[in-house]
Amino acid sequence: AQSVAQPEDQVNVAEGNPLTVKCTYSVSGNPYLFWYVQYPNRGLQFLLKYITGDNLVKGSYGFEAEFNKSQTSFHLKKPSALVSDSALYFCAVRDILEDDKIIFGKGTRLHILP
Amino acid sequence: EPEVTQTPSHQVTQMGQEVILRCVPISNHLYFYWYRQILGQKVEFLVSFYNNEISEKSEIFDDQFSVERPDGSNFTLKIRSTKLEDSAMYFCASSDRRETYEQYFGPGTRLTVT
């Protein structure tokens, strides 16, 4: 069965600094990987996905993520953090051998300090 | 930009009562999903729905739960006899094709069972 691990409950980054939110996954077959963001009192907003092709994928709001098959990781990155990036970030995976449900990690709260 | 909408935003009910949570998926989408997020925990898959039938359900989705697409626009989740542990945020999601992979989420309904 597929699973997702987000090892950090919270990440604090100073505004303007690069940020990384970590994610590792486990699937039987090839993974489809996603990042979603949740702002306070809002739903889950899709950021980016990896399906196939280039290991570095770019998404909304300047975020990008790098798929690393050997390390089974899909870390979310941004070169220069904004205070408005402060939110709850979820990594998610879908196993192409399974049905189309998405399995979410527990989430990482990102605090960007002004 | 089209959005998934959900009503109500917050529902308070007494244990043992029936509740219906409503969702309007994005209009050209064909695949529909319900997820839930117990406070402080990760987002969990409940059920997927396609072509007027359930395509997959989790072990959480027991006989107390049912889903329906009563007309061309609404997608509902019914809990027949609510329990305290049903208190959670319930998210509806939709996607246009299974191959598109990403699912678009609504803002959620917070269900409080007292």
Side-chain angles (χ1 to χ4, degrees), chain A residues 4 32 34 36 38 42-44 46 49 51 88 90 94 99-102 104-106, chain B residues 31 33 35 37 41-43 45 48 55-56 91 98 100-107:
Chain A
V4 179
Y32 296 155
F34 309 88
Y36 285 83
Q38 186 179 28
R42 301 286 297 277
L44 296 163
F46 171 76
K49 66 183 178 187
I51 305 300
L88 187 57
F90 291 95
R94 177 188 159 197
D99 213 320
D100 61 342
K101 67 183 179 190
I102 291 178
F104 285 84
K106 64 179 174 61
Chain B
Y31 297 84
Y33 312 84
Y35 292 79
Q37 183 183 28
Q41 299 186 24
K42 61 182 171 182
V43 178
F45 170 79
S48 59
S55 45
E56 188 180 4
F91 292 106
R98 195 173 281 191
T100 305
Y101 313 122
E102 66 259 38
Q103 297 171 11
Y104 294 87
F105 285 77

Side-chain angles (χ1 to χ4, degrees), chain A residues 32-84:
Chain A
Y32 296 155
L33 295 157
F34 309 88
W35 277 99
Y36 285 83
V37 59
Q38 186 179 28
Y39 296 101
N41 301 314
R42 301 286 297 277
L44 296 163
Q45 188 173 338
F46 171 76
L47 269 183
L48 52 79
K49 66 183 178 187
Y50 171 82
I51 305 300
T52 187
D54 288 342
N55 290 341
L56 185 65
V57 293
K58 295 185 183 296
S60 307
Y61 313 121
F63 283 93
E64 57 190 29
E66 186 166 12
F67 170 62
N68 187 317
K69 188 172 183 177
S70 62
Q71 297 185 2
T72 62
S73 67
F74 190 57
H75 301 330
L76 182 70
K77 300 182 180 187
K78 187 173 181 179
S80 179
L82 301 172
V83 172
S84 57

